[in-house]
C-alpha cells in the first residue's frame, strides 16, 4: 500500500477509491487504515470489513482487537458502495 500511495504522487489519476477489505486482508490492519485515512481518498466498506465489525470469527476478532476506537468509527462510516 505504501508503494501504491507513493506511486500516486508521480501520477495524476482521475480518481482513486479504496475498494474495501481494508482491515483483514493483511497482518497490519490498523496501519492500513491509518494510511487509507491519511490519504484522503474515498473508500467503501468491503465484506471483510463488515466481518471485522461484526466479529464473525477468530480472524475478524483478531483484527478487531488491533483497531482503535477511531478505526472502528471510520469503518462503520464507510458506505457499502
Amino acid at each position: 500500500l505504501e508503494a501504491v500511495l507513493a506511486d500516486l504522487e508521480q501520477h495524476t489519476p482521475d480518481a482513486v477509491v479504496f475498494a474495501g477489505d481494508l482491515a483483514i486482508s493483511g497482518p497490519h490492519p490498523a496501519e492500513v487504515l491509518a494510511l487509507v485515512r491519511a490519504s484522503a481518498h474515498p473508500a467503501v466498506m468491503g465484506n471483510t470489513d463488515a466481518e471485522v465489525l461484526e466479529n464473525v470469527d477468530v480472524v475478524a476478532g483478531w483484527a478487531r482487537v488491533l483497531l482503535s476506537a477511531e478505526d472502528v468509527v471510520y469503518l462503520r462510516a464507510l458506505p457499502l458502495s
Side-chain angles (χ1 to χ4, degrees):
L1 180 56
E2 290 170 335
V4 170
L5 291 172
D7 193 55
L8 286 173
E9 294 176 11
Q10 306 302 316
H11 300 84
T12 53
D14 293 333
V16 174
V17 177
F18 291 100
D21 299 338
L22 305 170
I24 202 171
S25 297
H28 305 287
E31 291 84 346
V32 168
L33 285 179
L35 288 170
V36 170
R37 291 169 65 187
S39 78
H41 295 295
V44 297
M45 183 184 299
N47 62 314
T48 62
D49 298 321
E51 290 173 1
V52 169
L53 293 173
E54 296 168 10
N55 199 15
V56 298
D57 60 26
V58 68
V59 175
W62 165 82
R64 176 71 183 259
V65 298
L66 297 175
L67 301 181
S68 69
E70 293 83 15
D71 292 333
V72 172
V73 168
Y74 174 78
L75 279 179
R76 285 195 191 285
L78 292 176
L80 294 173
S81 61

